[in-house]
């Protein structure tokens, strides 16, 4: 009777272990799926937002040229077609994550060349209008933070808060195990035990590094003794590091 009871208890324990494994597998799947879904939604939202902006810019091109170009000119339609193509090509840059200064300078140079070869004085009105529309597009790229000149970038660098960057970003990630932790929980939440196994750190040593990341705002703990998960700040910092690494090794 005792053997039968022991056997039943072992079976119950095995079932519990299997259920626990299934629960963890399902949790990991849901967390990964939710992150992928979130990234998909954010990507879709950005695309829709960009398309809406470009639609507005294209309308601005059409209206600006139609209303402000010289009316009585035999070259009006030809010039309007050329101007439209030039401005639409420049507007398409809004779809990019980063617009290099050389591209804008090249487009400005092309416009300047066209202007210098204008056949008559009345062309100046049309070119001034195109220059205004071009400038508005460049300003829009600046406001979307996808374009800035090298001079502007240097000015941005000069005002970076040294102490805050060191304390909030560089120092927390200046340790290999802390970077390991951040990378791991960017994929799925992790328990203290799982992070201990990952990093090889135990007890107070692991707590020390986790506290560094908690204090920096890059990770959080769901509740006392709960899993650790990455924050929006932590995810952005990690992606920025990935982008920087790709650029340096390209």
């Amino acid at each position: 009777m005792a053997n039968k009871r022991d056997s039943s208890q072992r079976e119950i324990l095995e079932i519990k272990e299997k259920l626990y494994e299934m629960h963890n597998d399902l949790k990991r799947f849901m967390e990964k799926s939710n992150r992928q879904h979130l990234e998909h939604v954010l990507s879709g939202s950005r695309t829709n937002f960009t398309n809406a902006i470009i639609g507005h810019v294209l309308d601005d091109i059409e209206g600006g040229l139609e209303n402000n170009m010289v009316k009585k000119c035999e070259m009006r339609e030809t010039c309007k077609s050329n101007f439209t193509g030039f401005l639409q090509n420049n507007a398409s840059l809004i779809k990019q994550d980063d617009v290099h200064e050389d591209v804008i300078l090249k487009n400005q140079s092309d416009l300047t060349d066209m202007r210098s070869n204008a056949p008559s004085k009345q062309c100046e009105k049309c070119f001034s209008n195109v220059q205004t529309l071009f400038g508005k597009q460049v300003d829009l790229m600046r406001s979307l933070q996808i374009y800035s000149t090298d001079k502007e970038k240097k000015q941005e660098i000069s005002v970076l808060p040294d102490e805050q960057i060191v304390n909030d970003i560089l120092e927390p990630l200046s340790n290999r195990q802390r970077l390991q932790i951040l990378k791991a929980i960017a994929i799925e939440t992790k328990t203290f035990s799982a992070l201990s196994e990952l990093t090889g750190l135990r007890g107070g040593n692991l707590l020390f590094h986790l506290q560094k990341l908690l204090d920096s705002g890059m990770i959080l703990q769901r509740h006392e003794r709960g899993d650790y998960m990455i924050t929006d700040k932590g995810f952005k910092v990690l992606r920025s590091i990935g982008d920087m690494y790709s650029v340096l090794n390209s």
Side-chain angles (χ1 to χ4, degrees):
M1 187 71 178
N3 290 336
K4 187 175 182 180
R5 185 167 57 251
D6 291 342
S7 177
S8 297
Q9 289 177 343
R10 282 196 300 271
E11 289 178 358
I12 292 172
L13 287 174
E14 289 175 359
I15 292 172
K16 286 183 176 180
E17 289 177 359
K18 290 292 183 183
L19 288 173
Y20 180 75
E21 291 175 3
M22 291 172 62
H23 171 75
N24 283 339
D25 289 341
L26 180 61
K27 184 174 71 170
R28 283 193 291 269
F29 173 77
M30 291 297 293
E31 288 167 349
K32 186 175 181 180
S33 298
N34 287 340
R35 181 169 293 285
Q36 290 174 338
H37 176 67
L38 176 60
E39 290 178 351
H40 176 72
V41 169
L42 291 176
S43 176
S45 298
R46 186 184 187 284
T47 299
N48 292 336
F49 176 69
T50 301
N51 289 338
I53 290 177
I54 291 178
H56 171 75
V57 171
L58 295 181
D59 290 341
D60 191 46
I61 293 171
E62 175 62 28
L65 294 178
E66 180 63 30
N67 296 328
N68 297 304
M69 287 183 66
V70 174
K71 303 296 183 184
K72 296 181 180 180
C73 176
E74 60 182 15
M75 294 292 293
R76 175 183 165 87
E77 293 306 315
T78 299
C79 290
K80 182 181 177 183
S81 177
N82 291 336
F83 291 152
T84 298
F86 168 79
L87 291 169
Q88 286 181 347
N89 179 66
N90 191 70
S92 68
L93 297 173
I94 295 172
K95 294 181 179 180
Q96 299 182 14
D97 293 329
D98 182 57
V99 179
H100 199 277
E101 183 179 10
D102 289 346
V103 177
I104 298 299
L105 291 176
K106 173 65 167 57
N107 288 348
Q108 178 61 71
S109 177
D110 290 344
L111 180 58
T112 301
D113 289 344
M114 286 191 289
R115 193 170 191 167
S116 64
N117 293 320
S120 68
K121 289 184 178 180
Q122 70 174 357
C123 296
E124 186 61 27
K125 178 180 179 181
C126 297
F127 275 103
S128 293
N129 178 42
V130 175
Q131 182 65 60
T132 298
L133 293 171
F134 176 77
K136 287 172 65 177
Q137 291 182 7
V138 174
D139 288 341
L140 177 59
M141 293 177 202
R142 282 195 177 94
S143 67
L144 293 172
Q145 297 184 345
I146 61 173
Y147 169 72
S148 60
T149 65
D150 288 341
K151 182 178 180 180
E152 290 167 341
K153 289 176 181 177
K154 289 177 181 178
Q155 290 175 339
E156 292 171 1
I157 291 172
S158 67
V159 297
L160 288 174
D162 301 348
E163 185 174 354
Q164 184 178 349
I165 290 175
V166 171
N167 292 338
D168 293 349
I169 300 174
L170 299 181
E171 201 277 332
L173 292 179
S174 63
N175 174 275
R176 182 172 64 86
Q177 281 96 347
R178 291 200 287 270
L179 184 56
Q180 280 182 319
I181 291 170
L182 199 64
K183 286 166 56 182
I185 63 176
I187 300 172
E188 60 182 5
T189 62
K190 294 286 186 182
T191 64
F192 185 89
S193 297
L195 292 174
S196 178
E197 183 177 351
L198 171 71
T199 61
L201 298 172
R202 300 288 182 268
N205 287 333
L206 178 56
L207 281 173
F208 170 80
H209 292 292
L210 287 171
Q211 194 60 50
K212 285 279 188 181
L213 293 172
L214 287 166
D215 291 342
S216 71
M218 293 188 199
I219 71 171
L220 57 83
Q221 192 174 17
R222 283 181 168 174
H223 50 77
E224 188 177 358
R225 299 183 181 277
D227 291 359
Y228 293 89
M229 61 189 297
I230 197 167
T231 63
D232 182 59
K233 175 186 175 180
F235 193 67
K236 287 178 179 177
V237 169
L238 198 57
R239 289 191 64 175
S240 297
I241 291 173
D243 291 341
M244 180 174 60
Y245 181 82
S246 297
V247 170
L248 293 175
N249 288 275
S250 61

